[in-house]
Structure formats: structure tokens, C-alpha cells
Amino acid sequence: MDARPACPLARGGYRLVAYCSVYGDEHVVRREFLGVVPYRHHGIELPGGRIAENSPPGVRITGFQDFTRGRPTRVVSRDLSPAGRDQAVERALSRIGERRYSLGGWNCEHYASWCATGVACSQQVAGAVTAFLAFLKAVLIAGAAVLAAIALTE
């Protein structure tokens, strides 16, 4: 089994707080595509500290250190009950070996959010689509302005 750091103590206001993760938690780690494009990788913690993740090779179980690649993780707070944590783990395990990764429709964030909540969604994809639509709108407005300027000079 791959070891994970013990619950570190951190100063939270005027008291020390232990930040611990528990099975069923969604972990998020920052990564870069080709060393340039930043993104967030998501996975679900399993009992024993391993992580279930969805990536291009498929849904698999990996060690905590392999998942983090030496970087800190952020735990998404879903306030799951023990039964909710069990259900998140059951969902995660039900897809192990599946190979239908899709950057826009079934990526690591879709998988982790589905495991934790039963609803597959990706804020990263929604943000990328919103940014693309804003860019497209700007291009169309600029194109319309150029066409209007050409029409005025004729």
C-alpha cells in the first residue's frame, strides 16, 4: 500500500486544525498538459488511501503518490454521510476498467463528481466552453464591424 502523509496540523484562525481526508473524498491536484497548459485532475479516495481516477487509459485505481505526483491535493467538501461515502466508493469501483474517457463529456472531473453526487459535471469543461463562446462572440462582433466599415467606404 502506498503511504500518504498523516493528517497535518495547520493554523486555522486561532486554533490548530487537522486536515484529514477520508474514503469517498474527491481529491483535486493541479497538473499541466505538455508542461504548459494547467488543469485540475480529480479522483475519489478509496478505503486504504488509494485513488480511483478516470484518465485517457481508462478508469483505474492508483496509489496516492502516483495520483498526486508529489503535489498537494485539495479535498472537495461534499459533507457526505458515511452512507454517502460508501455510495461514492461503490460508484467509483463500478466503473474500474471502463475505457470511455472523453475530454468534453466524461473526463476525470465528470467521473469524480458522479461518484460523489450521482451527477456528472465538469466546471473545467463549462469554463472552457464559456471562454470559447466569449471568444467567438468577440470575433463575430469584430467581423461585423469590419464589414460595416467596408460597406461605408463603398
Side-chain angles (χ1 to χ4, degrees):
M1 179 187 333
D2 166 67
R4 211 179 34 153
C7 298
L9 291 177
R11 188 157 294 283
Y14 292 104
R15 59 194 174 96
L16 288 177
V17 179
Y19 291 97
C20 299
S21 58
V22 181
Y23 74 92
D25 278 343
E26 179 180 344
H27 287 265
V28 183
V29 64
R30 187 178 186 280
R31 291 191 180 168
E32 289 89 26
F33 177 70
L34 298 175
V36 179
V37 181
Y39 70 96
R40 294 176 310 274
H41 186 53
H42 297 248
I44 296 292
E45 184 172 344
L46 302 175
R50 295 180 58 118
I51 301 287
E53 66 177 4
N54 186 21
S55 60
V59 179
R60 63 187 183 162
I61 297 173
T62 187
F64 190 79
Q65 296 303 324
D66 289 336
F67 176 78
T68 66
R69 297 182 184 171
R71 293 185 171 195
T73 68
R74 178 176 57 85
V75 175
V76 176
S77 177
R78 303 250 189 218
D79 293 326
L80 296 176
S81 67
R85 290 181 179 287
D86 290 341
Q87 188 172 37
V89 169
E90 286 174 24
R91 285 186 185 125
L93 294 174
S94 74
R95 298 268 176 122
I96 298 300
E98 180 179 274
R99 297 183 192 285
R100 48 172 273 214
Y101 181 88
S102 163
L103 186 60
W106 185 246
N107 65 32
C108 61
E109 189 175 7
H110 289 104
Y111 169 73
S113 97
W114 174 79
C115 291
T117 67
V119 177
C121 64
S122 172
Q123 293 176 0
Q124 291 178 100
V125 170
V129 168
T130 300
F132 175 74
L133 291 176
F135 171 76
L136 187 59
K137 179 180 175 183
V139 168
L140 291 174
I141 289 171
V146 168
L147 290 176
I150 291 171
L152 289 175
T153 59
E154 292 180 351

